[in-house]
mmCIF file of all heavy atoms in Angstrom:
data_model
loop_
_atom_site.group_PDB
_atom_site.id
_atom_site.type_symbol
_atom_site.label_atom_id
_atom_site.label_comp_id
_atom_site.label_asym_id
_atom_site.label_seq_id
_atom_site.Cartn_x
_atom_site.Cartn_y
_atom_site.Cartn_z
ATOM 1 N N ILE P 203 -3.679 14.306 -12.197
ATOM 2 C CA ILE P 203 -3.067 13.136 -12.873
ATOM 3 C C ILE P 203 -3.147 11.918 -12.003
ATOM 4 O O ILE P 203 -2.545 11.800 -10.835
ATOM 5 C CB ILE P 203 -1.626 13.357 -13.341
ATOM 6 C CG1 ILE P 203 -1.580 14.895 -13.875
ATOM 7 C CG2 ILE P 203 -1.199 12.397 -14.358
ATOM 8 C CD1 ILE P 203 -0.067 15.248 -14.090
ATOM 9 N N GLY P 204 -3.841 10.898 -12.503
ATOM 10 C CA GLY P 204 -3.954 9.559 -11.668
ATOM 11 C C GLY P 204 -5.322 9.392 -11.256
ATOM 12 O O GLY P 204 -5.842 10.306 -10.479
ATOM 13 N N ASN P 205 -6.046 8.283 -11.621
ATOM 14 C CA ASN P 205 -7.377 8.116 -11.291
ATOM 15 C C ASN P 205 -7.715 6.938 -10.333
ATOM 16 O O ASN P 205 -8.817 6.373 -10.380
ATOM 17 C CB ASN P 205 -8.373 8.063 -12.568
ATOM 18 C CG ASN P 205 -7.917 6.808 -13.355
ATOM 19 O OD1 ASN P 205 -7.053 6.012 -13.066
ATOM 20 N ND2 ASN P 205 -8.687 6.659 -14.495
ATOM 21 N N GLY P 206 -6.703 6.685 -9.541
ATOM 22 C CA GLY P 206 -6.962 5.697 -8.575
ATOM 23 C C GLY P 206 -7.608 6.330 -7.345
ATOM 24 O O GLY P 206 -8.242 7.349 -7.461
ATOM 25 N N PRO P 207 -7.669 5.580 -6.217
ATOM 26 C CA PRO P 207 -8.419 6.248 -5.023
ATOM 27 C C PRO P 207 -8.055 7.563 -4.615
ATOM 28 O O PRO P 207 -8.974 8.430 -4.227
ATOM 29 C CB PRO P 207 -8.066 5.169 -3.900
ATOM 30 C CG PRO P 207 -7.477 4.065 -4.542
ATOM 31 C CD PRO P 207 -6.983 4.310 -5.936
ATOM 32 N N THR P 208 -6.758 7.913 -4.697
ATOM 33 C CA THR P 208 -6.345 9.272 -4.306
ATOM 34 C C THR P 208 -6.901 10.215 -5.267
ATOM 35 O O THR P 208 -7.632 11.314 -4.896
ATOM 36 C CB THR P 208 -4.783 9.336 -4.382
ATOM 37 O OG1 THR P 208 -4.222 8.384 -3.702
ATOM 38 C CG2 THR P 208 -4.229 10.679 -3.921
ATOM 39 N N ILE P 228 -7.257 12.440 -14.857
ATOM 40 C CA ILE P 228 -6.616 11.778 -15.989
ATOM 41 C C ILE P 228 -6.077 10.352 -15.543
ATOM 42 O O ILE P 228 -5.458 10.249 -14.486
ATOM 43 C CB ILE P 228 -5.365 12.496 -16.469
ATOM 44 C CG1 ILE P 228 -5.713 13.993 -16.822
ATOM 45 C CG2 ILE P 228 -4.686 11.767 -17.697
ATOM 46 C CD1 ILE P 228 -4.604 14.915 -17.039
ATOM 47 N N GLY P 229 -6.384 9.315 -16.271
ATOM 48 C CA GLY P 229 -5.704 7.934 -16.016
ATOM 49 C C GLY P 229 -5.178 7.351 -17.218
ATOM 50 O O GLY P 229 -5.674 7.610 -18.387
ATOM 51 N N ASP P 230 -4.164 6.528 -17.109
ATOM 52 C CA ASP P 230 -3.482 5.862 -18.357
ATOM 53 C C ASP P 230 -3.847 4.421 -18.465
ATOM 54 O O ASP P 230 -3.241 3.809 -19.357
ATOM 55 C CB ASP P 230 -1.994 6.228 -18.308
ATOM 56 C CG ASP P 230 -1.377 5.520 -17.208
ATOM 57 O OD1 ASP P 230 -1.969 4.846 -16.339
ATOM 58 O OD2 ASP P 230 -0.055 5.515 -17.186
ATOM 59 N N GLU P 231 -4.794 3.860 -17.717
ATOM 60 C CA GLU P 231 -5.200 2.530 -17.904
ATOM 61 C C GLU P 231 -6.523 2.545 -18.533
ATOM 62 O O GLU P 231 -7.263 3.440 -18.280
ATOM 63 C CB GLU P 231 -5.264 1.770 -16.491
ATOM 64 C CG GLU P 231 -3.973 1.692 -15.856
ATOM 65 C CD GLU P 231 -4.037 0.908 -14.523
ATOM 66 O OE1 GLU P 231 -4.663 -0.166 -14.459
ATOM 67 O OE2 GLU P 231 -3.508 1.508 -13.457
ATOM 68 N N ARG P 238 -7.072 -1.133 -6.548
ATOM 69 C CA ARG P 238 -6.089 -2.316 -6.589
ATOM 70 C C ARG P 238 -6.393 -3.195 -5.443
ATOM 71 O O ARG P 238 -6.114 -4.488 -5.487
ATOM 72 C CB ARG P 238 -4.649 -1.801 -6.488
ATOM 73 C CG ARG P 238 -4.373 -0.735 -7.611
ATOM 74 C CD ARG P 238 -2.924 -0.604 -7.811
ATOM 75 N NE ARG P 238 -2.520 0.518 -8.629
ATOM 76 C CZ ARG P 238 -2.710 0.632 -9.933
ATOM 77 N NH1 ARG P 238 -3.210 -0.446 -10.622
ATOM 78 N NH2 ARG P 238 -2.338 1.640 -10.587
ATOM 79 N N MET P 239 -6.867 -2.515 -4.230
ATOM 80 C CA MET P 239 -7.123 -3.540 -3.141
ATOM 81 C C MET P 239 -8.222 -4.600 -3.440
ATOM 82 O O MET P 239 -8.222 -5.600 -2.755
ATOM 83 C CB MET P 239 -7.693 -2.556 -1.924
ATOM 84 C CG MET P 239 -6.694 -1.959 -1.131
ATOM 85 S SD MET P 239 -7.459 -0.851 0.019
ATOM 86 C CE MET P 239 -8.207 -2.049 1.112
ATOM 87 N N ILE P 241 -8.273 -6.392 -6.077
ATOM 88 C CA ILE P 241 -7.685 -7.383 -7.092
ATOM 89 C C ILE P 241 -7.699 -8.714 -6.487
ATOM 90 O O ILE P 241 -8.011 -9.685 -7.147
ATOM 91 C CB ILE P 241 -6.292 -6.900 -7.573
ATOM 92 C CG1 ILE P 241 -6.512 -5.825 -8.548
ATOM 93 C CG2 ILE P 241 -5.502 -8.041 -8.114
ATOM 94 C CD1 ILE P 241 -5.156 -5.161 -9.042
ATOM 95 N N PRO P 242 -7.379 -9.002 -5.277
ATOM 96 C CA PRO P 242 -7.322 -10.372 -4.678
ATOM 97 C C PRO P 242 -8.666 -10.996 -4.852
ATOM 98 O O PRO P 242 -8.895 -12.211 -5.121
ATOM 99 C CB PRO P 242 -6.891 -10.096 -3.243
ATOM 100 C CG PRO P 242 -6.107 -8.910 -3.170
ATOM 101 C CD PRO P 242 -6.748 -7.968 -4.267
ATOM 102 N N GLY P 273 -5.356 8.988 -20.964
ATOM 103 C CA GLY P 273 -4.120 9.305 -21.631
ATOM 104 C C GLY P 273 -2.921 9.279 -20.650
ATOM 105 O O GLY P 273 -3.132 9.429 -19.509
ATOM 106 N N LYS P 274 -1.686 9.198 -21.196
ATOM 107 C CA LYS P 274 -0.518 9.194 -20.343
ATOM 108 C C LYS P 274 0.146 10.590 -20.229
ATOM 109 O O LYS P 274 0.471 11.024 -21.378
ATOM 110 C CB LYS P 274 0.461 8.108 -20.865
ATOM 111 C CG LYS P 274 1.620 7.905 -19.934
ATOM 112 C CD LYS P 274 2.419 6.769 -20.401
ATOM 113 C CE LYS P 274 3.663 6.471 -19.573
ATOM 114 N NZ LYS P 274 3.253 6.038 -18.108
ATOM 115 N N VAL P 275 0.280 11.148 -19.199
ATOM 116 C CA VAL P 275 0.901 12.409 -19.095
ATOM 117 C C VAL P 275 2.442 12.094 -19.078
ATOM 118 O O VAL P 275 2.969 11.288 -18.375
ATOM 119 C CB VAL P 275 0.576 13.140 -17.779
ATOM 120 C CG1 VAL P 275 1.384 14.369 -17.557
ATOM 121 C CG2 VAL P 275 -1.046 13.468 -17.845
ATOM 122 N N ALA P 301 -1.285 12.435 -8.551
ATOM 123 C CA ALA P 301 -1.816 11.222 -7.708
ATOM 124 C C ALA P 301 -1.517 9.929 -8.643
ATOM 125 O O ALA P 301 -2.427 9.191 -8.861
ATOM 126 C CB ALA P 301 -3.305 11.362 -7.388
ATOM 127 N N THR P 302 -0.280 9.851 -9.082
ATOM 128 C CA THR P 302 0.050 8.741 -10.072
ATOM 129 C C THR P 302 0.471 7.477 -9.385
ATOM 130 O O THR P 302 0.851 6.538 -10.136
ATOM 131 C CB THR P 302 1.166 9.281 -10.977
ATOM 132 O OG1 THR P 302 2.228 9.951 -10.207
ATOM 133 C CG2 THR P 302 0.724 10.366 -12.081
ATOM 134 N N GLY P 303 0.464 7.381 -8.075
ATOM 135 C CA GLY P 303 0.707 6.104 -7.468
ATOM 136 C C GLY P 303 2.095 5.607 -7.727
ATOM 137 O O GLY P 303 3.012 6.312 -8.011
ATOM 138 N N SER P 304 2.136 4.312 -7.758
ATOM 139 C CA SER P 304 3.431 3.543 -7.874
ATOM 140 C C SER P 304 3.422 2.551 -8.903
ATOM 141 O O SER P 304 2.315 2.236 -9.495
ATOM 142 C CB SER P 304 3.780 2.810 -6.554
ATOM 143 O OG SER P 304 3.933 3.686 -5.499
ATOM 144 N N CYS P 322 1.776 -8.225 -10.230
ATOM 145 C CA CYS P 322 0.391 -8.344 -9.865
ATOM 146 C C CYS P 322 0.052 -6.876 -9.297
ATOM 147 O O CYS P 322 -0.051 -6.739 -8.041
ATOM 148 C CB CYS P 322 0.129 -9.316 -8.876
ATOM 149 S SG CYS P 322 -1.613 -9.482 -8.401
ATOM 150 N N TRP P 323 -0.094 -5.948 -10.159
ATOM 151 C CA TRP P 323 -0.473 -4.601 -9.677
ATOM 152 C C TRP P 323 -1.648 -4.010 -10.323
ATOM 153 O O TRP P 323 -2.459 -3.167 -9.731
ATOM 154 C CB TRP P 323 0.844 -3.739 -9.959
ATOM 155 C CG TRP P 323 0.787 -2.339 -9.404
ATOM 156 C CD1 TRP P 323 0.777 -1.164 -10.034
ATOM 157 C CD2 TRP P 323 0.780 -2.151 -7.924
ATOM 158 N NE1 TRP P 323 0.650 -0.189 -9.054
ATOM 159 C CE2 TRP P 323 0.741 -0.674 -7.847
ATOM 160 C CE3 TRP P 323 0.948 -2.874 -6.847
ATOM 161 C CZ2 TRP P 323 0.764 -0.042 -6.625
ATOM 162 C CZ3 TRP P 323 1.012 -2.296 -5.626
ATOM 163 C CH2 TRP P 323 0.918 -0.859 -5.494
ATOM 164 N N PHE P 348 4.149 -7.206 1.637
ATOM 165 C CA PHE P 348 2.750 -6.753 1.876
ATOM 166 C C PHE P 348 1.832 -7.438 0.684
ATOM 167 O O PHE P 348 0.925 -8.189 0.946
ATOM 168 C CB PHE P 348 2.631 -5.337 1.950
ATOM 169 C CG PHE P 348 1.262 -4.704 2.214
ATOM 170 C CD1 PHE P 348 0.586 -5.201 3.293
ATOM 171 C CD2 PHE P 348 0.739 -3.813 1.345
ATOM 172 C CE1 PHE P 348 -0.776 -4.731 3.525
ATOM 173 C CE2 PHE P 348 -0.563 -3.338 1.734
ATOM 174 C CZ PHE P 348 -1.223 -3.727 2.675
ATOM 175 N N ILE P 349 2.182 -6.968 -0.593
ATOM 176 C CA ILE P 349 1.384 -7.373 -1.726
ATOM 177 C C ILE P 349 1.464 -9.043 -1.858
ATOM 178 O O ILE P 349 0.514 -9.637 -2.200
ATOM 179 C CB ILE P 349 1.826 -6.675 -2.982
ATOM 180 C CG1 ILE P 349 1.741 -5.194 -2.799
ATOM 181 C CG2 ILE P 349 0.958 -7.127 -4.247
ATOM 182 C CD1 ILE P 349 0.166 -4.613 -2.544
ATOM 183 N N ILE P 352 -0.665 -10.629 0.498
ATOM 184 C CA ILE P 352 -2.123 -10.491 0.311
ATOM 185 C C ILE P 352 -2.559 -11.402 -0.978
ATOM 186 O O ILE P 352 -3.698 -11.931 -0.860
ATOM 187 C CB ILE P 352 -2.465 -9.032 -0.143
ATOM 188 C CG1 ILE P 352 -2.404 -8.193 1.099
ATOM 189 C CG2 ILE P 352 -3.784 -8.705 -0.786
ATOM 190 C CD1 ILE P 352 -2.442 -6.682 0.920
ATOM 191 N N ILE P 353 -1.776 -11.470 -1.944
ATOM 192 C CA ILE P 353 -2.226 -12.180 -3.202
ATOM 193 C C ILE P 353 -1.973 -13.745 -2.889
ATOM 194 O O ILE P 353 -2.728 -14.594 -3.644
ATOM 195 C CB ILE P 353 -1.578 -11.811 -4.427
ATOM 196 C CG1 ILE P 353 -0.045 -12.020 -4.370
ATOM 197 C CG2 ILE P 353 -1.878 -10.532 -4.835
ATOM 198 C CD1 ILE P 353 0.674 -11.755 -5.712
ATOM 199 N N ASN P 437 5.683 6.609 -9.446
ATOM 200 C CA ASN P 437 5.534 7.024 -10.799
ATOM 201 C C ASN P 437 5.811 8.419 -10.796
ATOM 202 O O ASN P 437 5.005 9.342 -10.700
ATOM 203 C CB ASN P 437 4.095 6.761 -11.325
ATOM 204 C CG ASN P 437 3.886 5.278 -11.696
ATOM 205 O OD1 ASN P 437 4.763 4.567 -12.195
ATOM 206 N ND2 ASN P 437 2.680 4.796 -11.311
ATOM 207 N N PHE P 440 7.784 11.329 -15.324
ATOM 208 C CA PHE P 440 7.203 12.456 -16.189
ATOM 209 C C PHE P 440 7.433 13.803 -15.572
ATOM 210 O O PHE P 440 7.143 14.924 -16.165
ATOM 211 C CB PHE P 440 5.666 12.215 -16.382
ATOM 212 C CG PHE P 440 4.856 12.376 -15.152
ATOM 213 C CD1 PHE P 440 4.255 13.619 -14.954
ATOM 214 C CD2 PHE P 440 4.778 11.335 -14.356
ATOM 215 C CE1 PHE P 440 3.490 13.638 -13.721
ATOM 216 C CE2 PHE P 440 4.043 11.358 -13.162
ATOM 217 C CZ PHE P 440 3.403 12.544 -12.772
ATOM 218 N N GLY P 469 -1.036 10.517 -1.984
ATOM 219 C CA GLY P 469 -1.108 9.064 -2.249
ATOM 220 C C GLY P 469 0.290 8.398 -2.346
ATOM 221 O O GLY P 469 1.262 8.949 -1.888
ATOM 222 N N ASP P 470 0.245 7.245 -3.028
ATOM 223 C CA ASP P 470 1.415 6.333 -2.999
ATOM 224 C C ASP P 470 2.646 7.078 -3.542
ATOM 225 O O ASP P 470 3.800 6.672 -3.368
ATOM 226 C CB ASP P 470 1.140 5.202 -3.931
ATOM 227 C CG ASP P 470 0.481 4.056 -3.155
ATOM 228 O OD1 ASP P 470 -0.122 4.328 -2.013
ATOM 229 O OD2 ASP P 470 0.375 3.010 -3.589
ATOM 230 N N ALA P 486 3.058 3.504 1.199
ATOM 231 C CA ALA P 486 2.040 3.157 0.129
ATOM 232 C C ALA P 486 0.915 2.318 0.570
ATOM 233 O O ALA P 486 0.793 1.135 0.202
ATOM 234 C CB ALA P 486 2.810 2.627 -1.041
ATOM 235 N N ILE P 487 -0.020 2.946 1.382
ATOM 236 C CA ILE P 487 -1.279 2.239 1.757
ATOM 237 C C ILE P 487 -2.389 3.074 1.592
ATOM 238 O O ILE P 487 -2.333 4.278 1.666
ATOM 239 C CB ILE P 487 -1.182 1.554 3.222
ATOM 240 C CG1 ILE P 487 -0.844 2.753 4.190
ATOM 241 C CG2 ILE P 487 -0.193 0.516 3.350
ATOM 242 C CD1 ILE P 487 -1.101 2.339 5.687
ATOM 243 N N GLN P 488 -3.536 2.482 1.402
ATOM 244 C CA GLN P 488 -4.775 3.224 0.919
ATOM 245 C C GLN P 488 -5.287 4.301 1.912
ATOM 246 O O GLN P 488 -5.592 5.393 1.567
ATOM 247 C CB GLN P 488 -5.847 2.311 0.323
ATOM 248 C CG GLN P 488 -6.863 3.112 -0.388
ATOM 249 C CD GLN P 488 -7.573 2.299 -1.405
ATOM 250 O OE1 GLN P 488 -7.004 1.533 -2.145
ATOM 251 N NE2 GLN P 488 -8.911 2.313 -1.389
ATOM 252 N N PRO P 489 -5.230 3.920 3.274
ATOM 253 C CA PRO P 489 -5.807 4.893 4.254
ATOM 254 C C PRO P 489 -5.089 6.122 4.117
ATOM 255 O O PRO P 489 -5.638 7.229 4.242
ATOM 256 C CB PRO P 489 -5.634 4.173 5.604
ATOM 257 C CG PRO P 489 -5.469 2.750 5.308
ATOM 258 C CD PRO P 489 -4.935 2.669 3.905
HETATM 259 C C1 LIG I 859 -3.170 -6.481 -5.020
HETATM 260 C C2 LIG I 859 -3.021 -5.292 -4.233
HETATM 261 C C3 LIG I 859 -3.648 -5.389 -2.974
HETATM 262 C C4 LIG I 859 -3.617 -4.222 -2.048
HETATM 263 N N1 LIG I 859 -4.173 -4.401 -0.834
HETATM 264 C C5 LIG I 859 -4.157 -3.233 -0.122
HETATM 265 C C6 LIG I 859 -4.718 -3.330 1.300
HETATM 266 O O1 LIG I 859 -5.326 -4.366 1.622
HETATM 267 N N2 LIG I 859 -4.637 -2.231 2.033
HETATM 268 C C7 LIG I 859 -4.044 -0.977 1.593
HETATM 269 O O2 LIG I 859 -4.055 -0.128 2.372
HETATM 270 N N3 LIG I 859 -3.488 -0.982 0.420
HETATM 271 C C8 LIG I 859 -3.569 -2.068 -0.448
HETATM 272 N N4 LIG I 859 -2.997 -1.943 -1.750
HETATM 273 C C9 LIG I 859 -2.233 -0.757 -2.000
HETATM 274 C C10 LIG I 859 -3.265 0.324 -2.527
HETATM 275 O O3 LIG I 859 -3.902 -0.362 -3.680
HETATM 276 C C11 LIG I 859 -2.543 1.676 -2.790
HETATM 277 O O4 LIG I 859 -1.997 2.214 -1.679
HETATM 278 C C12 LIG I 859 -3.538 2.623 -3.565
HETATM 279 O O5 LIG I 859 -3.995 2.051 -4.764
HETATM 280 C C13 LIG I 859 -2.924 3.998 -3.700
HETATM 281 O O6 LIG I 859 -3.745 4.809 -4.517
HETATM 282 P P1 LIG I 859 -3.203 5.897 -5.511
HETATM 283 O O7 LIG I 859 -4.458 6.524 -6.124
HETATM 284 O O8 LIG I 859 -2.230 6.804 -4.774
HETATM 285 O O9 LIG I 859 -2.455 5.132 -6.600
HETATM 286 P P2 LIG I 859 -2.910 4.095 -7.755
HETATM 287 O O10 LIG I 859 -4.079 3.279 -7.163
HETATM 288 O O11 LIG I 859 -1.767 3.306 -8.176
HETATM 289 O O12 LIG I 859 -3.474 4.940 -8.870
HETATM 290 C C14 LIG I 859 -2.664 5.762 -9.654
HETATM 291 C C15 LIG I 859 -3.222 5.905 -11.025
HETATM 292 O O13 LIG I 859 -2.456 6.822 -11.900
HETATM 293 C C16 LIG I 859 -2.168 6.351 -13.122
HETATM 294 N N5 LIG I 859 -0.986 6.995 -13.648
HETATM 295 C C17 LIG I 859 0.324 6.742 -13.367
HETATM 296 N N6 LIG I 859 1.104 7.578 -14.012
HETATM 297 C C18 LIG I 859 0.431 8.211 -14.895
HETATM 298 C C19 LIG I 859 0.590 9.113 -15.984
HETATM 299 N N7 LIG I 859 1.936 9.458 -16.309
HETATM 300 N N8 LIG I 859 -0.379 9.675 -16.687
HETATM 301 C C20 LIG I 859 -1.691 9.292 -16.389
HETATM 302 N N9 LIG I 859 -2.028 8.457 -15.431
HETATM 303 C C21 LIG I 859 -1.028 7.851 -14.754
HETATM 304 C C22 LIG I 859 -1.970 4.829 -12.858
HETATM 305 O O14 LIG I 859 -2.222 4.098 -14.018
HETATM 306 C C23 LIG I 859 -3.206 4.552 -11.796
HETATM 307 O O15 LIG I 859 -4.392 4.427 -12.513
HETATM 308 C C24 LIG I 859 -2.990 -3.084 -2.506
HETATM 309 C C25 LIG I 859 -2.389 -2.997 -3.808
HETATM 310 C C26 LIG I 859 -2.395 -4.106 -4.631
HETATM 311 C C27 LIG I 859 -1.721 -4.092 -5.972
#
Side-chain angles (χ1 to χ4, degrees):
I203 315 174
N205 64 357
T208 306
I228 306 168
D230 64 353
E231 294 180 51
R238 304 197 192 289
M239 273 177 69
I241 285 176
K274 188 172 181 66
V275 171
T302 46
S304 299
C322 185
W323 190 249
F348 182 56
I349 301 297
I352 287 175
I353 61 175
N437 283 318
F440 64 98
D470 281 12
I487 54 166
Q488 195 152 314

